[in-house]
mmCIF file of all heavy atoms in Angstrom:
data_model
loop_
_atom_site.group_PDB
_atom_site.id
_atom_site.type_symbol
_atom_site.label_atom_id
_atom_site.label_comp_id
_atom_site.label_asym_id
_atom_site.label_seq_id
_atom_site.Cartn_x
_atom_site.Cartn_y
_atom_site.Cartn_z
ATOM 1 N N VAL Z 388 -67.191 68.945 -25.979
ATOM 2 C CA VAL Z 388 -65.790 69.381 -26.122
ATOM 3 C C VAL Z 388 -64.867 68.169 -26.114
ATOM 4 O O VAL Z 388 -63.822 68.169 -26.773
ATOM 5 C CB VAL Z 388 -65.393 70.388 -25.031
ATOM 6 C CG1 VAL Z 388 -66.208 71.662 -25.147
ATOM 7 C CG2 VAL Z 388 -65.515 69.794 -23.640
ATOM 8 N N GLU Z 389 -65.242 67.139 -25.380
ATOM 9 C CA GLU Z 389 -64.404 65.935 -25.329
ATOM 10 C C GLU Z 389 -64.386 65.225 -26.671
ATOM 11 O O GLU Z 389 -63.342 64.734 -27.121
ATOM 12 C CB GLU Z 389 -64.907 64.992 -24.238
ATOM 13 C CG GLU Z 389 -64.003 63.806 -23.976
ATOM 14 C CD GLU Z 389 -62.637 64.198 -23.474
ATOM 15 O OE1 GLU Z 389 -62.534 65.132 -22.656
ATOM 16 O OE2 GLU Z 389 -61.636 63.567 -23.910
ATOM 17 N N ALA Z 390 -65.533 65.180 -27.339
ATOM 18 C CA ALA Z 390 -65.623 64.482 -28.617
ATOM 19 C C ALA Z 390 -64.746 65.120 -29.678
ATOM 20 O O ALA Z 390 -64.261 64.430 -30.587
ATOM 21 C CB ALA Z 390 -67.075 64.440 -29.091
ATOM 22 N N GLU Z 391 -64.522 66.434 -29.598
ATOM 23 C CA GLU Z 391 -63.716 67.121 -30.608
ATOM 24 C C GLU Z 391 -62.464 67.745 -30.010
ATOM 25 O O GLU Z 391 -61.959 68.752 -30.486
ATOM 26 C CB GLU Z 391 -64.590 68.130 -31.355
ATOM 27 C CG GLU Z 391 -65.714 67.418 -32.087
ATOM 28 C CD GLU Z 391 -66.487 68.273 -33.070
ATOM 29 O OE1 GLU Z 391 -65.946 69.288 -33.549
ATOM 30 O OE2 GLU Z 391 -67.643 67.912 -33.356
ATOM 31 N N HIS Z 392 -61.979 67.093 -28.968
ATOM 32 C CA HIS Z 392 -60.749 67.528 -28.302
ATOM 33 C C HIS Z 392 -59.582 67.614 -29.282
ATOM 34 O O HIS Z 392 -58.848 68.611 -29.316
ATOM 35 C CB HIS Z 392 -60.434 66.545 -27.173
ATOM 36 C CG HIS Z 392 -59.095 66.710 -26.543
ATOM 37 N ND1 HIS Z 392 -58.746 67.814 -25.786
ATOM 38 C CD2 HIS Z 392 -57.997 65.890 -26.538
ATOM 39 C CE1 HIS Z 392 -57.504 67.671 -25.346
ATOM 40 N NE2 HIS Z 392 -57.030 66.523 -25.793
ATOM 41 N N ALA Z 393 -59.413 66.591 -30.111
ATOM 42 C CA ALA Z 393 -58.271 66.558 -31.023
ATOM 43 C C ALA Z 393 -58.338 67.682 -32.055
ATOM 44 O O ALA Z 393 -57.316 68.313 -32.377
ATOM 45 C CB ALA Z 393 -58.198 65.202 -31.721
ATOM 46 N N ASP Z 394 -59.532 67.954 -32.584
ATOM 47 C CA ASP Z 394 -59.659 69.011 -33.595
ATOM 48 C C ASP Z 394 -59.403 70.389 -32.994
ATOM 49 O O ASP Z 394 -58.721 71.225 -33.599
ATOM 50 C CB ASP Z 394 -61.040 68.966 -34.237
ATOM 51 C CG ASP Z 394 -61.186 67.813 -35.218
ATOM 52 O OD1 ASP Z 394 -60.166 67.412 -35.810
ATOM 53 O OD2 ASP Z 394 -62.304 67.312 -35.399
ATOM 54 N N ALA Z 395 -59.951 70.638 -31.808
ATOM 55 C CA ALA Z 395 -59.733 71.931 -31.167
ATOM 56 C C ALA Z 395 -58.254 72.131 -30.850
ATOM 57 O O ALA Z 395 -57.690 73.216 -31.083
ATOM 58 C CB ALA Z 395 -60.575 72.032 -29.896
ATOM 59 N N ALA Z 396 -57.610 71.088 -30.328
ATOM 60 C CA ALA Z 396 -56.181 71.181 -30.032
ATOM 61 C C ALA Z 396 -55.379 71.406 -31.307
ATOM 62 O O ALA Z 396 -54.415 72.183 -31.324
ATOM 63 C CB ALA Z 396 -55.717 69.911 -29.326
ATOM 64 N N GLY Z 397 -55.787 70.729 -32.381
ATOM 65 C CA GLY Z 397 -55.082 70.899 -33.649
ATOM 66 C C GLY Z 397 -55.133 72.316 -34.165
ATOM 67 O O GLY Z 397 -54.144 72.839 -34.697
ATOM 68 N N PHE Z 398 -56.267 72.981 -34.006
ATOM 69 C CA PHE Z 398 -56.374 74.381 -34.418
ATOM 70 C C PHE Z 398 -55.473 75.277 -33.562
ATOM 71 O O PHE Z 398 -54.818 76.193 -34.075
ATOM 72 C CB PHE Z 398 -57.819 74.853 -34.334
ATOM 73 C CG PHE Z 398 -58.670 74.442 -35.497
ATOM 74 C CD1 PHE Z 398 -59.855 73.744 -35.312
ATOM 75 C CD2 PHE Z 398 -58.296 74.762 -36.794
ATOM 76 C CE1 PHE Z 398 -60.643 73.364 -36.386
ATOM 77 C CE2 PHE Z 398 -59.074 74.395 -37.884
ATOM 78 C CZ PHE Z 398 -60.249 73.683 -37.677
ATOM 79 N N ALA Z 399 -55.443 75.029 -32.261
ATOM 80 C CA ALA Z 399 -54.603 75.837 -31.378
ATOM 81 C C ALA Z 399 -53.133 75.705 -31.757
ATOM 82 O O ALA Z 399 -52.384 76.695 -31.794
ATOM 83 C CB ALA Z 399 -54.822 75.424 -29.925
ATOM 84 N N LEU Z 400 -52.706 74.491 -32.054
ATOM 85 C CA LEU Z 400 -51.314 74.255 -32.416
ATOM 86 C C LEU Z 400 -50.984 74.850 -33.780
ATOM 87 O O LEU Z 400 -49.927 75.453 -33.972
ATOM 88 C CB LEU Z 400 -51.033 72.748 -32.418
ATOM 89 C CG LEU Z 400 -51.023 72.071 -31.047
ATOM 90 C CD1 LEU Z 400 -51.111 70.554 -31.195
ATOM 91 C CD2 LEU Z 400 -49.766 72.467 -30.273
ATOM 92 N N ALA Z 401 -51.882 74.683 -34.731
ATOM 93 C CA ALA Z 401 -51.622 75.151 -36.093
ATOM 94 C C ALA Z 401 -51.579 76.667 -36.177
ATOM 95 O O ALA Z 401 -50.782 77.244 -36.934
ATOM 96 C CB ALA Z 401 -52.676 74.607 -37.045
#
Side-chain angles (χ1 to χ4, degrees):
V388 297
E389 188 63 40
E391 298 191 23
H392 170 67
D394 285 331
F398 280 125
L400 290 165

